[in-house]
């Protein structure tokens, strides 16, 4: 399978714990995005990387959230001191960079986080 | 600021009916991209189409067609002869020309009954 993969698919944690999610993009894609989707809503942008550089962060991304893409391949999203409001589906997407002038993003299956 | 509005939260049709999903957007950019994605019950967003703002030609792909009207800032999606497998949530999204974040609408849940 050469699509975007995410791990784990589901995560249940207690309030105050730290969690980390992983995303593996499509191999030739240099851009990687994180979105959050709550029930009944459209995805909301969190952050994106071009290669290993984090180029944009949403105001939704509080200090408790951090994302990395150390070698320009896979990425991790960490949430520290989780709160019940963090419960959502966390989606990762990847795309080719701006050289094509296009940015259709291909999404992974998501990680569903439940904070008790 | 960019905004996408999908006023229809839920639509129910009977199989073989045609259905149109509305999308209205707001942007100050003169060049931008518009997208439609499908999210079936399995949850994974599936890319359907991308349209450049400088190309207003309508597009047809099988039973799917898209009507882009820059004058009314709309990018509507029509499914002809709907099928049960079309049941899903459909999202319209707006992207900047430089290609970073997508701004999604709230989605329209389409239910196609046999």
């Amino acid at each position: 399978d050469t699509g975007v993969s995410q791990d784990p698919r589901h995560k249940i944690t207690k309030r105050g714990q730290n969690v980390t999610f992983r995303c593996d993009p499509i191999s030739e894609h240099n851009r990687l995005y994180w979105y959050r989707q709550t029930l009944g809503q459209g995805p909301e942008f969190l952050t994106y990387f071009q290669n290993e550089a984090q180029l944009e962060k949403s105001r939704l991304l509080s200090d408790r959230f951090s994302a990395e893409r150390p070698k320009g391949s896979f990425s991790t999203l960490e949430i520290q001191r989780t709160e019940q409001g963090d419960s959502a589906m966390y989606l990762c997407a990847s795309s080719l960079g701006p050289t094509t002038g296009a940015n259709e993003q291909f999404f992974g299956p998501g990680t569903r986080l439940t904070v008790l | 600021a960019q905004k996408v509005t999908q006023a229809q939260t839920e639509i129910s049709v009977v199989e073989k009916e045609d259905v149109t999903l509305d999308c209205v957007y707001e942007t100050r950019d003169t060049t931008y991209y518009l997208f439609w994605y499908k999210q079936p019950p399995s949850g994974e967003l599936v890319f359907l189409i991308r349209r450049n703002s400088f190309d207003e030609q309508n597009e047809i792909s099988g039973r799917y067609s898209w009507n882009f009207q820059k004058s009314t800032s709309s990018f509507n999606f029509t499914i002809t002869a709907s099928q049960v497998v079309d049941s899903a949530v459909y999202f319209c999204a707006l992207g900047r020309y430089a290609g970073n974040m997508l701004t999604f609408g709230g989605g329209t849940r389409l239910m196609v009954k046999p």
Side-chain angles (χ1 to χ4, degrees), chain B residues 86-100:
Chain B
D86 295 326
S87 297
V89 180
Y90 291 86
F91 291 99
C92 179
L94 174 64
R96 311 193 75 164
Y97 183 72
N100 38 53

Side-chain angles (χ1 to χ4, degrees), chain A residues 31 33 35 37 101-103 105, chain B residues 33 37 39 50 99-100 102:
Chain A
R31 289 193 163 198
Y33 310 79
Y35 290 82
Q37 185 178 22
N103 63 339
Q105 297 175 18
Chain B
Y33 289 90
Y37 283 85
Q39 190 171 43
R50 177 203 63 185
N100 38 53
L102 294 182

Side-chain angles (χ1 to χ4, degrees), chain A residues 34-38 41-47 58-62 64-65 77 79 85-92 107:
Chain A
W34 285 99
Y35 290 82
R36 181 172 69 185
Q37 185 178 22
T38 54
Q41 303 296 318
E44 295 174 295
F45 171 78
L46 293 178
T47 189
S58 163
R59 282 171 288 182
L60 290 175
L61 213 64
S62 77
R64 297 184 296 106
F65 288 69
L77 177 68
I79 309 174
D86 297 332
S87 295
M89 177 77 85
Y90 290 85
L91 298 169
C92 177
F107 284 79

Side-chain angles (χ1 to χ4, degrees), chain A residues 46-98:
Chain A
L46 293 178
T47 189
Y48 95 99
F49 294 83
Q50 179 155 316
N51 300 313
E52 65 276 8
Q54 188 173 18
L55 297 185
E56 189 168 349
K57 292 196 294 186
S58 163
R59 282 171 288 182
L60 290 175
L61 213 64
S62 77
D63 292 344
R64 297 184 296 106
F65 288 69
S66 62
E68 294 183 341
R69 195 183 183 197
K71 297 183 180 179
S73 56
F74 73 92
S75 174
T76 58
L77 177 68
E78 181 184 16
I79 309 174
Q80 295 182 328
R81 304 181 304 281
T82 52
E83 302 173 355
Q84 288 183 325
D86 297 332
S87 295
M89 177 77 85
Y90 290 85
L91 298 169
C92 177
S94 69
S95 75
L96 290 170

